[in-house]
Amino acid sequence: MNEEIKKNIDDTNVDQVLRPAAWDEYVGQEKIKDNLRVIIDAAQKRGEAMDHILFSGPAGLGKTTLAFLVAKEMGAPVRTTSGPALEKMGDMAAILTNLEPGEVLFIDEAHRINRLIEEVLYPAMEMRKLHLVIGKGPSARTLTLDLPPFTLVAATTRENLLSHPLRSRFGAILRLDYYTEDNIKKILERSSKILGIEMAPEGVEVLARAARATPRIANRLLKRARDYAEIHGTGMIDGSIAKKALEMLDVDEAGLEPSDRKLLLTIVEKFGGGPVGVNTLAAALNEEKGVIEDIYEPYLMSLGFLQRTSAGRMVLPPAYEHLKIKKPGGLL
Ligand code: ADP
């Protein structure tokens, strides 16, 4: 890679550089891409703004990237905000009244939009109307403004926390899945090429297995393995450098971090392997229930290490094998 370009890609803007800017750079999620293709083509054929869309799925799977790709395909500008950034009804009203015709409004963490603010969105999404209340008390008046055609693209990691009225106003809800190991390898290969990092096939494999099936984590591991390779090796990421970099990060070969192992071990050691209610577990771990449900559990469940049952969380046999521990009272 050209030295000049390499120099300009420092750690802070690496994420920007690695974000796919075209559909063919966006690896995997084929069903979602096909779905979007149809929705975009149909809107373009009718000469209308695209229907409102909700992307749902764990963090780092590529929801924001998709939102930008959709806007690019529609030839539309994008305005971005997030649920927690919208503090007052006026914040939402100001954004909506400033939209350009056809603009894509991207709202990340949509499940964290305050309910009162959410109500401003309903008529905006449905009828392109904004109802404003001017003044207070008996002299208060309602003013209705027409909004330009726009597309709301929202992303959430907690679809179940989204209110029903909001969810029902999206024309499509697209759920992103964890990536296959092959697709994570493709992402690692693409990123290492962009960053000018040399990788041996075994290095790619080791990092891919530990990337929690998540592109953002794959890229993060790649950056740290590059650091390790530059300091302790020749710069090339081979199998042994990749393993040592993971060790340094305290990430095991399945991608589990100390917090994941602590969660599993707590269920095993304090609650006989489960079932244990999530609130009890949260208290025992001194962790927020939402973090357990959002960050830790989805990946542990995808590995078949943990199960959510009506009676609570249970550790499953593959987790005992992975952690090399015995099931309480069991034969393993
Ligand atoms: P989310 O919004 O779901 O948290 P992002 O869209 O911010 O995730 O993606 C995180 C990073 O992962 C992006 O900057 C990009 O580099 C990478 N990424 C995500 N999805 C893909 C993909 N399908 N192909 C290649 N890289 C991806």
Side-chain angles (χ1 to χ4, degrees), residues 18-20 26-27 60-65 179 187 215-216 219:
L18 294 182
R19 195 184 282 279
Y26 192 94
V27 176
L61 290 196
K63 300 181 292 297
T64 307
T65 310
Y179 288 66
I187 291 171
R216 182 182 291 138
N219 286 339

Side-chain angles (χ1 to χ4, degrees), residues 61-188:
L61 290 196
K63 300 181 292 297
T64 307
T65 310
L66 276 180
F68 278 87
L69 286 176
V70 163
K72 193 172 176 193
E73 191 73 19
M74 292 295 292
V78 197
R79 190 169 303 234
T80 64
T81 184
S82 76
L86 299 164
E87 286 177 359
K88 302 187 294 289
M89 283 210 265
D91 296 338
M92 190 76 254
I95 290 176
L96 290 171
T97 47
N98 281 306
L99 288 174
E100 284 173 36
E103 191 157 357
V104 169
L105 171 60
F106 176 61
I107 306 185
D108 203 3
E109 298 191 71
H111 57 277
R112 292 179 64 189
I113 306 175
N114 166 312
R115 287 290 133 95
L116 284 174
I117 296 175
E118 211 181 89
E119 281 176 24
V120 179
L121 270 178
Y122 303 158
M125 290 170 78
E126 222 163 27
M127 299 170 294
R128 293 195 214 127
K129 300 273 185 211
L130 178 66
H131 300 307
L132 291 174
V133 180
I134 316 273
K136 276 189 183 148
S139 62
R141 287 180 302 123
T142 312
L143 189 71
T144 301
L145 296 179
D146 286 323
L147 296 170
F150 73 100
T151 299
L152 175 65
V153 178
T156 180
T157 48
R158 307 281 314 269
E159 194 190 324
N160 59 334
L161 293 188
L162 226 60
S163 75
H164 178 71
L166 180 60
R167 199 183 336 184
S168 65
R169 282 171 172 84
F170 289 99
I173 299 180
L174 302 174
R175 299 183 177 92
L176 281 80
D177 280 333
Y178 280 118
Y179 288 66
T180 61
E181 210 170 293
D182 268 352
N183 281 338
I184 290 290
K185 279 188 202 163
K186 282 187 197 149
I187 291 171
L188 282 168

Side-chain angles (χ1 to χ4, degrees), residues 33-309:
K33 282 194 281 187
D34 289 347
N35 259 317
L36 284 171
R37 183 76 288 136
V38 174
I39 299 172
I40 292 170
D41 286 352
Q44 279 178 335
K45 214 165 160 188
R46 289 194 298 264
E48 290 173 358
M50 204 179 88
D51 216 345
H52 307 301
I53 291 195
L54 176 68
F55 292 125
S56 136
L61 290 196
K63 300 181 292 297
T64 307
T65 310
L66 276 180
F68 278 87
L69 286 176
V70 163
K72 193 172 176 193
E73 191 73 19
M74 292 295 292
V78 197
R79 190 169 303 234
T80 64
T81 184
S82 76
L86 299 164
E87 286 177 359
K88 302 187 294 289
M89 283 210 265
D91 296 338
M92 190 76 254
I95 290 176
L96 290 171
T97 47
N98 281 306
L99 288 174
E100 284 173 36
E103 191 157 357
V104 169
L105 171 60
F106 176 61
I107 306 185
D108 203 3
E109 298 191 71
H111 57 277
R112 292 179 64 189
I113 306 175
N114 166 312
R115 287 290 133 95
L116 284 174
I117 296 175
E118 211 181 89
E119 281 176 24
V120 179
L121 270 178
Y122 303 158
M125 290 170 78
E126 222 163 27
M127 299 170 294
R128 293 195 214 127
K129 300 273 185 211
L130 178 66
H131 300 307
L132 291 174
V133 180
I134 316 273
K136 276 189 183 148
S139 62
R141 287 180 302 123
T142 312
L143 189 71
T144 301
L145 296 179
D146 286 323
L147 296 170
F150 73 100
T151 299
L152 175 65
V153 178
T156 180
T157 48
R158 307 281 314 269
E159 194 190 324
N160 59 334
L161 293 188
L162 226 60
S163 75
H164 178 71
L166 180 60
R167 199 183 336 184
S168 65
R169 282 171 172 84
F170 289 99
I173 299 180
L174 302 174
R175 299 183 177 92
L176 281 80
D177 280 333
Y178 280 118
Y179 288 66
T180 61
E181 210 170 293
D182 268 352
N183 281 338
I184 290 290
K185 279 188 202 163
K186 282 187 197 149
I187 291 171
L188 282 168
E189 274 154 7
R190 170 179 177 271
S191 300
S192 58
K193 216 160 150 193
I194 294 174
L195 300 175
I197 303 170
E198 249 191 292
M199 286 188 94
E202 211 203 328
V204 178
E205 248 161 62
V206 170
L207 293 189
R209 265 201 304 278
R212 301 175 82 90
T214 304
R216 182 182 291 138
I217 297 179
N219 286 339
R220 191 169 74 208
L221 294 181
L222 176 66
K223 287 188 282 180
R224 297 292 74 84
R226 171 187 61 179
D227 293 346
Y228 196 90
E230 280 171 3
I231 304 294
H232 298 289
T234 59
M236 146 115 139
I237 303 175
D238 58 19
S240 110
I241 289 277
K243 280 182 194 155
K244 284 188 190 136
L246 292 182
E247 246 170 62
M248 191 185 69
L249 296 168
D250 224 344
V251 169
D252 73 20
E253 70 272 20
L256 300 199
E257 294 177 10
S259 45
D260 300 298
R261 292 191 287 269
K262 188 172 165 204
L263 184 147
L264 294 171
L265 287 173
T266 301
I267 299 180
V268 172
E269 287 164 4
K270 292 199 175 151
F271 304 102
V276 53
V278 67
N279 288 317
T280 311
L281 185 59
L285 290 167
N286 200 11
E287 187 60 273
E288 268 180 54
K289 175 178 165 231
V291 172
I292 293 179
E293 289 176 329
D294 253 20
I295 317 272
Y296 304 142
E297 288 186 343
Y299 180 62
L300 292 173
M301 289 194 299
S302 81
L303 288 178
F305 283 9
L306 188 75
Q307 191 177 20
R308 281 181 188 160
T309 69

